[in-house]
Structures are given as C-alpha cells and as structure tokens.
Amino acid sequence: MPRPDRPCAVCATPAAKYNCPKCRAAYCCIACCRTHKTTCVPPTVVTKARPKRVAPEKRAGRPPDPDSDVARLTASQLTRVASCAWAREELRREPTLRDLLVTIEGATDATRALQTARARDSRFADFVDRLLVEVGACAFEDDGG
C-alpha cells in the first residue's frame, strides 16, 4: 500500500511503495531500487543499552491522572491488543518498536513520552494508529482523496 507521506528517495514520486531493507529509504519501482542500491549507505549501528522493563506491579499500580483528558483503553480493548497477531508480528520484526514501548512504559510522564515517540518516528506512529483501529479504539477516517 503506498504511503502518501513517503516520496521516492530516487525520483521523488509521491507515495513510494517499497523500502530499502538496509537503510529503509523509500522507492517506487525496481528501476529506482537498482539506482538506489548503487548509493545505499546503511545506517551506522549504534549499540545502546536497552531500556529497563517496568515491573508489572508498578505498571498496574500507576493510577491515571484525574486531570488528564487522555482517553484510556478499556479492559476489552487491552485484551484485544494482547491477542492481536498482527501487532505481535510487528513487534517481533521491529525491535525499535518494542524499545519505544518499553521506554514509554517506564517514563514518568507516559503520555508525553508517547506523544514524543509518535512525533519522532513515523513507523511507530503508523503502528499505534493501526493498533488503535484494530482494537476498535478509533476509526480510520478517509479524507476523501
């Protein structure tokens, strides 16, 4: 499925369909893929410590902020998240998504950490949006285009 926010890195065609497996650059066709391969530079791997996991008893004990206008998932929606095969597969394939979730979970201000992660990482934002639709927490809006 084309992503309107990702133009081809080679020819700038809007809505590139494919990503380079090495550097994640977007491209639209096999010709652009071949061109990109000649100049592809995989990102430098920086080893960093994985975020600490928050103990379940600390997670469960964190009450929601009563002054917050942030919507919370219901118990049935949380159950659907836990049983969502698509989300489980995405988290298995993308360790950065798992790391972001662990970081958010352990943050003092989880709401702000979630907003920051969504703003900085479009793949994480897409993951969260699709997950919310999958569990029925929100609906996909078609902008008519």
Side-chain angles (χ1 to χ4, degrees), residues 72-89 91 101 127-128 130-137:
R72 305 281 180 200
L73 294 178
T74 65
S76 66
Q77 290 169 331
L78 289 172
T79 302
R80 282 183 269 177
V81 167
S83 63
C84 183
W86 164 84
R88 202 175 2 256
E89 177 60 21
L91 291 168
L101 288 172
F127 171 80
V128 171
R130 180 168 175 197
L131 187 60
L132 290 173
V133 170
E134 292 276 331
V135 301

Side-chain angles (χ1 to χ4, degrees), residues 30-130:
I30 194 71
C32 286
C33 174
R34 289 182 181 138
T35 302
H36 171 72
K37 278 185 180 181
T38 63
T39 60
C40 178
V41 178
T44 307
V45 178
V46 176
T47 307
K48 63 178 183 177
R50 293 196 110 163
K52 286 185 176 181
R53 294 193 179 271
V54 175
E57 60 276 5
K58 289 185 181 176
R59 283 194 309 256
R62 184 188 305 163
D65 180 4
D67 297 329
S68 174
D69 61 349
V70 175
R72 305 281 180 200
L73 294 178
T74 65
S76 66
Q77 290 169 331
L78 289 172
T79 302
R80 282 183 269 177
V81 167
S83 63
C84 183
W86 164 84
R88 202 175 2 256
E89 177 60 21
E90 283 295 305
L91 291 168
R92 186 190 64 73
R93 284 188 318 113
E94 295 285 346
T96 55
L97 293 177
R98 284 194 314 262
D99 292 344
L100 280 169
L101 288 172
V102 170
T103 300
I104 292 165
E105 184 178 36
T108 331
D109 186 349
T111 301
R112 178 171 288 161
L114 174 63
Q115 291 168 344
T116 302
R118 289 187 70 175
R120 289 185 179 165
D121 189 328
S122 64
R123 287 181 306 170
F124 180 71
D126 292 345
F127 171 80
V128 171
D129 290 343
R130 180 168 175 197

